[in-house]
Amino acid sequence: MDLASNDYSKRSSIVGHIAPHQISAVRWLPRRSNDELYFVTGSLAETVNSVILWYFSVDKNSEDGLQLVPKSLAEFSVSNDVVGIEMLDSNNVVCATSDGKLMNINRFLFSGIISVLDVNEEDILAYRLMEKCSLKDLHGTNAFGSACSGISAYKQIVATAGEDGYVNIVAADVGEIVHTIKDPNNSSIRCVSLVHTNIVVAGRQSGFLDCYDTRQGGNNPVIYIDTKYEEDQDLNTPTCLNLSPNLNVTCGLECGTILLWDMRNPSNTTAMDGGHTSMLNEIRFAPERGNLMVSADTKGKIMQWGIQNRIQRLMESKSINSIDVDLTHIIAGGDSEMLFMIELYREN
């Protein structure tokens, strides 16, 4: 763990806790009160993976005083790697899993599944993760199937992306596919962002951001941009997407650059360099603080971008696969089998 400066370490805290597995996805639950700190994680690379509901409790016996310690509350087992988790609301979680299984010497079967889980509160600090519905084999047009590469949610609508180049729009409350976008070129999708009920952006392996309006039907994007803005074309593949509070599509690239794309002015794209030198895994924004963005990469670096593009390097570890931001803290996890709780930097 490497703090950026002595000055920063006085104003922020980073606490690491051992996790039971590598973490592929992490999301805060929406707070119902100021002292609630609940979150969910998904695992990968295990024989049996899981989605776990956690909360931070106060360890009054710690040497550092009132230290927050994660405690697991409930677990839902899944057979494949968790590739994404999103909160539909304070009581419902949607997770996507994807894996390949060797069926016989000539056949390797890929599959993609999403499950909607109810966070069922049975008593004080007694919870269960109960499956409400699930959809299997979401991607793939042949006997070998196709892996699911990510999900995004907007209220009760979920978009799934696949290596087959397809996007599925799912009504999570009823567990049904309501629309499928079939790219004519079958270009694999690396990331997806559902920016509104009918508007979805797909980041393709071929180096394009494609924006679709499902109300118009068809399989052609209404607008798109080419992310290959440098000579090294192979490193400009989109790897993560999110929508900023000012409605810019924010895209992380394999080379570590962050692109800001204004869909209202498609020719207006801004590149943010200097924060990362390796592939971006996730970009998140702090609620109620539209100027604060947090990003994480495969070398374990988490960056906090503030007013006037101020950058703070928070830490370094193994690959940080997923991050999330709430009102006061960042939660992060990755390949190091650690959970990191990071206090947000506050501008003076």
Side-chain angles (χ1 to χ4, degrees), residues 230-248:
E230 291 181 347
E231 292 183 1
D232 194 347
Q233 303 280 295
D234 294 336
L235 292 179
N236 293 310
T237 297
T239 55
C240 58
L241 286 167
N242 204 349
L243 186 68
S244 71
N246 61 358
L247 303 182
N248 282 324

Side-chain angles (χ1 to χ4, degrees), residues 16-49:
H17 302 278
I18 296 175
H21 47 237
Q22 294 182 53
I23 295 172
S24 58
V26 59
R27 288 292 181 265
W28 288 111
L29 267 66
R31 289 194 190 188
R32 290 173 289 187
S33 64
N34 290 334
D35 58 351
E36 280 194 351
L37 288 171
Y38 291 82
F39 63 100
V40 288
T41 61
S43 70
L44 77 162
E46 300 287 339
T47 303
V48 177
N49 289 288

Side-chain angles (χ1 to χ4, degrees), residues 83-84 139 146-152 159-167 183 186-193 201-210 227 233-241 251-256 278-282 298:
V83 298
H139 294 277
S146 183
C148 179
S149 53
I151 62 170
S152 178
T160 71
E163 292 184 355
D164 56 359
Y166 288 13
V167 175
D183 179 53
N186 291 329
S187 176
S188 175
I189 301 175
R190 293 285 297 273
C191 49
V192 65
S193 180
V201 179
R204 296 191 178 276
Q205 180 69 38
S206 55
F208 287 93
L209 292 182
D210 290 337
T227 63
Q233 303 280 295
D234 294 336
L235 292 179
N236 293 310
T237 297
T239 55
C240 58
L241 286 167
C251 173
L253 301 182
E254 197 165 315
C255 62
S278 60
M279 186 176 78
L280 270 298
N281 280 334
E282 192 148 53
T298 55

Side-chain angles (χ1 to χ4, degrees), residues 41 43 48-53 74-79 82 95 97 115-117 128-134:
T41 61
S43 70
V48 177
N49 289 288
S50 59
V51 176
I52 299 178
L53 172 66
E75 184 173 355
F76 179 80
S77 297
V78 295
S79 59
V82 177
C95 71
T97 61
S115 299
V116 178
L117 309 178
R128 282 203 303 164
L129 289 172
M130 301 176 61
E131 186 177 68
K132 297 176 65 175
C133 61
S134 66

